[in-house]
Amino acid sequence: GATYFFKDKFVYKYDSQNKRVSPGYPRLIKSRFPGAPNKVDAVYFNRNDGQTYFLRGNEYYILNNNETVPQDHPKKLSDKYPGLGVLPKINSFDTALGLHNKMYFFSDKKYFEFTNAISPSIDISSNKSIFKGIPSKFDCVMAEDSKNENSELYFFKGSKIIKFNKGSNKVMPGFPKKITSVFPDSPSNIDGCIKFEGTF
């Protein structure tokens, strides 16, 4: 029933009902989720296996039901996603997005599309891009409905948020806006966000 925002070594628990950060937060990521890395590049929920994943560099960590990471982690990201091939150096993938039956991995000015294999890199600002109007560098992205391939998306960049219509591949009118105008009392600079069971 809560949403977690990640920033550097810290995690913020957001109380959606009361629209504020929960008491006792921010906390160290490794303290809140024992076994997780000190910092994370991305966090996502995989609807296919019902697991939550922490990504850090070329490795992934799975969160147990008791909100700890098993001792046999981290594991190689390329083992989880065959066809990804030799991965770039650490932090080359800044964030990830699961949408319908596809995964999108974003790096500096480029993104990769994964279904059964990884696509060649696509420049975000190119004519081939499906994310037209989105800045080439941003902090993270979240889907309004990850089951829907044409879902509306939220791109976070610094203190701003950009709402993007995946169906028309266009930025929604009136955006960008301040993050706090859409998510009151949330951190003004967000590294990660996810929507799960109707809660951000």
Side-chain angles (χ1 to χ4, degrees), residues 124-142:
I124 291 176
S125 61
S126 73
N127 290 332
K128 293 181 180 179
S129 175
I130 59 175
F131 300 106
K132 291 181 175 64
I134 297 303
S136 56
K137 289 185 178 181
F138 58 89
D139 301 316
C140 65
V141 56
M142 176 187 67

Side-chain angles (χ1 to χ4, degrees), residues 68-130:
T68 63
V69 173
Q71 292 185 351
D72 60 347
H73 285 66
K75 295 185 177 181
K76 290 182 179 179
L77 193 61
S78 57
D79 290 342
K80 178 66 183 175
Y81 296 105
L84 207 55
V86 178
L87 296 178
K89 294 180 180 179
I90 189 166
N91 290 335
S92 288
F93 290 153
D94 298 325
T95 192
L97 170 69
L99 197 59
H100 190 47
N101 62 348
K102 295 179 182 177
M103 284 293 301
Y104 295 94
F105 296 91
F106 294 88
S107 64
D108 184 19
K109 300 181 181 179
K110 298 182 183 298
Y111 69 93
F112 302 79
E113 184 178 301
F114 181 91
T115 46
N116 296 321
I118 196 80
S119 73
S121 64
I122 302 169
D123 193 314
I124 291 176
S125 61
S126 73
N127 290 332
K128 293 181 180 179
S129 175
I130 59 175

